[in-house]
């Protein structure tokens, strides 16, 4: 049994920083609790360095009796999650400075980030469910962190959906265990083809229910707009970005490794859910006037595009590369848009952004790049990700799904332009009070990162390739 703890350094850094941050926060005076934010940022940077070292050495392995895999998808997911978590910490720093629960906020972020990393590398159903819980429970508290009416309502909806679908997911784990007599993906791959198809189908659907909740995909999407609107902007940026990375990579690994010969037509199920998510997200976003709520429905539609890769996970070798590249590009682009929203706390409706280009041209440029990036406009990273996703869908025998995705991409331009149009009109000076230089810097970094990822896509693609272990 391989018990190489060094293989889990990124996860260990986040967990250790959470424990140290909790202890330090109990003793530090309120005006010194910014040190916990610095500790969280240091843990993210250390995790990125450890992941880079693992990728440079090329050592891929499974640890703890093959329950956790350290391979190309795990490392690519680690880089995306840790970078995104670092940006969320930077986005939160100035608005939380001096808050009486400042240290607890960063501890919760670190814990839920650790759970997301566990989801990414999980190679066993029990490890998968443990990661789900660790990624979910701290996030419920984050949604209600402001302790206002909207945040409390958001947290309640988030918790109720999470508890319900978490229970369903655990039931699915039990059903798959009953079908194959094991929870490891290798054993499931060998045991499920001879099991009762109805039992396997019920177990798979139940497990997918939990992962679809984390991703915010149809039909487990109802919490997304309310939580995004009710939570503080940095928390909304978190819940619409990081959980999706963990859930989608975990789902891809489960489908690719444990269920290729199960006899259940899960590729068609995922294709239908992908089409439903992208279509419903776009239709619901068309006439939204609240900026955060528009981004919430936008993220549901983006999950639809990402689910295309899962629907062809065993049909083409392009699916893995497309998924990982799109996730990285989406994370940077979505966080950039939310950083602009965070920097302009008085601007809630789309009309509140009127005249932004004349008074804050830098922020207007970032918003332009990020919103057009979410459409999939070159040369942004999402454009390259969508191109890879569409190619994978066609190569995997789903040209109809690629056609639906192209139609939805064109349709999505409407509501993104509805936001951008007021930005370049005159007026609105009183609504453009900017909060936090660090938040503005985060917006610039995320926007530039989205462009650089698109321009340097050829250099990034090799990082997303490599076999799945397990």
């Amino acid at each position: 049994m391989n018990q190489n703890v060094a293989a889990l350094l990124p996860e260990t850094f986040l967990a250790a920083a959470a424990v140290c941050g909790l202890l330090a926060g109990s003793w530090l005076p309120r005006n010194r609790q910014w040190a916990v934010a610095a500790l969280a940022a240091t843990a993210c940077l250390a995790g990125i360095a450890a992941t880079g070292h693992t990728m440079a050495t090329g050592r891929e392995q499974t640890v703890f009796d093959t329950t956790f895999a350290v391979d190309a998808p795990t490392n690519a997911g680690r880089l995306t999650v840790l970078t995104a978590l670092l940006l969320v910490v930077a986005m939160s720093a100035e608005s939380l400075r001096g808050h009486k629960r400042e240290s607890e906020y960063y501890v919760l972020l670190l814990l839920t980030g650790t759970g997301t990393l566990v989801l990414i590398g999980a190679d066993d159903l029990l490890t998968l469910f443990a990661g789900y819980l660790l990624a979910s429970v701290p996030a419920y508290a984050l949604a209600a962190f402001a302790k206002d009416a909207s945040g409390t309502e958001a947290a309640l909806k988030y918790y109720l959906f999470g508890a319900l679908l978490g229970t369903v997911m655990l039931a699915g784990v039990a059903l798959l265990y009953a079908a194959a007599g094991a929870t490891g993906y290798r054993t499931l791959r060998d045991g499920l083809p001879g099991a009762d198809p109805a039992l396997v189908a019920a177990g798979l659907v139940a497990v997918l229910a939990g992962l679809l909740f984390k991703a915010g995909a149809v039909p487990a999407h109802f919490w997304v707009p309310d939580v995004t609107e009710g939570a503080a902007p940095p928390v909304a940026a978190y819940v619409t970005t990081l959980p999706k990375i963990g859930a989608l990579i975990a789902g891809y690994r489960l489908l690719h490794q444990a269920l290729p010969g199960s006899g259940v037509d899960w590729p068609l199920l995922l294709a239908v859910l992908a089409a439903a998510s992208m279509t419903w997200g776009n239709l619901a976003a068309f006439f939204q006037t609240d900026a955060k709520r528009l981004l919430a429905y936008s993220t549901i539609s983006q999950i639809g595009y990402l689910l295309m890769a899962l629907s062809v996970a065993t049909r083409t070798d392009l699916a893995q590369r497309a998924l990982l590249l799109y996730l990285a590009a989406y994370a940077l682009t979505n966080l950039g848009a939310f950083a602009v929203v965070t920097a302009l706390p008085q601007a809630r409706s789309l009309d509140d952004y009127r005249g932004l280009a004349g008074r804050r041209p830098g922020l207007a440029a970032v918003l332009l790049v990020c919103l057009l990036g979410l459409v999939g406009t070159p040369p942004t990273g999402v454009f390259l990700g969508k191109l890879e996703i569409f190619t994978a869908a066609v190569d995997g025998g789903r040209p109809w799904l690629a056609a639906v995705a192209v139609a939805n991409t064109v349709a999505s331009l409407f509501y993104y332009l509805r936001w951008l149009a007021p930005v370049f009109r005159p007026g609105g000076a009183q609504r453009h009070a900017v909060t936090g230089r660090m938040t503005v810097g985060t917006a610039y970094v995320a926007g530039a990162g989205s462009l650089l990822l698109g321009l340097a896509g050829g250099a990034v693609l090799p990082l997303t390739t490599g076999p799945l272990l397990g």
Side-chain angles (χ1 to χ4, degrees), residues 44-317:
C44 292
L45 292 172
I48 291 171
T51 303
H53 180 266
T54 300
M55 298 175 76
T57 58
R59 185 180 182 187
E60 299 184 341
Q61 57 188 309
T62 56
V63 295
F64 298 107
D65 199 21
T66 70
T67 61
F68 192 93
V70 180
D71 51 20
T74 300
N75 288 323
R78 283 171 167 174
L79 286 180
T80 303
V81 167
L82 292 168
T83 302
L85 189 60
L86 183 62
L87 291 175
V88 172
V89 169
M91 200 186 304
S92 308
E94 285 162 323
S95 62
L96 279 171
R97 184 68 56 83
H99 194 283
K100 61 182 178 181
R101 294 186 304 279
E102 182 177 1
S103 60
E104 287 92 330
Y105 176 89
Y106 294 109
V107 168
L108 291 170
L109 267 184
L110 289 166
L111 288 174
T112 191
T114 305
T116 303
L117 294 185
V118 173
L119 278 174
I120 287 173
D123 209 27
D124 182 278
L125 290 176
L126 295 179
T127 306
L128 178 69
F129 186 68
Y132 172 90
L133 289 178
L134 186 55
S136 299
V137 176
Y140 305 149
L142 283 172
F145 194 80
K147 297 183 71 175
D148 54 8
S150 59
T152 302
E153 180 183 354
L156 182 60
K157 292 179 179 179
Y158 198 12
Y159 166 73
L160 289 176
F161 271 100
L164 172 62
L165 294 176
T167 303
V168 172
M169 183 181 185
L170 184 59
V173 171
L175 291 175
L176 291 178
Y177 175 77
T183 56
Y185 290 177
R186 290 183 180 183
T187 312
L188 288 172
R189 182 173 59 223
D190 297 332
L192 290 180
D196 181 2
L199 185 62
V200 176
L204 173 61
V205 169
V207 172
L208 285 178
L211 294 177
L212 291 175
F213 161 75
K214 293 302 297 177
V218 172
H221 67 287
F222 295 102
W223 62 273
V224 177
D226 292 326
V227 173
T228 305
E229 183 182 16
V235 177
Y238 168 81
V239 298
T240 58
T241 307
L242 273 80
K244 300 179 185 336
I245 302 169
L248 290 167
I249 296 179
Y252 182 89
R253 188 185 298 278
L254 172 67
L255 297 170
H256 187 279
Q257 296 297 88
L259 294 146
S262 62
V264 178
D265 194 5
W266 55 263
L268 179 60
L269 171 64
L270 268 296
V272 171
L273 291 176
S277 296
M278 67 180 77
T279 303
W280 174 251
N282 281 334
L283 290 176
F286 275 168
F287 301 106
Q288 295 296 323
T289 58
D290 184 275
K292 289 202 292 181
R293 203 167 182 88
L294 185 148
L295 285 174
Y297 284 112
S298 165
T299 197
I300 295 173
S301 70
Q302 296 295 329
I303 292 306
Y305 303 125
L306 287 158
L307 284 175
M308 293 169 63
L310 272 66
S311 71
V312 293
T314 57
R315 295 176 170 224
T316 173
D317 294 334

Side-chain angles (χ1 to χ4, degrees), residues 300-394:
I300 295 173
S301 70
Q302 296 295 329
I303 292 306
Y305 303 125
L306 287 158
L307 284 175
M308 293 169 63
L310 272 66
S311 71
V312 293
T314 57
R315 295 176 170 224
T316 173
D317 294 334
L318 301 177
Q320 176 183 305
R321 184 177 72 183
L323 175 66
L324 297 176
L325 179 61
Y326 199 141
L327 280 172
Y330 167 74
L332 286 172
T333 308
N334 190 60
L335 288 175
F338 268 103
V340 175
V341 172
T342 305
L344 300 168
Q346 303 303 317
R348 295 187 60 86
S349 71
L350 303 187
D351 193 57
D352 289 340
Y353 288 80
R354 183 182 297 273
L356 181 64
R359 294 171 176 84
R360 300 288 178 181
L363 286 178
V366 172
L367 193 61
L368 176 68
V369 168
C370 291
L371 293 185
L372 291 183
L374 290 172
V375 176
T377 306
T380 61
V382 174
F383 165 74
L384 190 61
K386 279 192 174 182
L387 187 61
E388 290 286 327
I389 285 273
F390 295 168
T391 303
V394 173

Side-chain angles (χ1 to χ4, degrees), residues 394-418:
V394 173
D395 191 62
R398 301 284 185 202
W400 66 268
L401 185 57
V404 171
V406 170
N408 272 283
T409 297
V410 175
S412 69
L413 187 61
F414 169 76
Y415 60 84
Y416 290 121
L417 289 180
R418 283 185 61 241

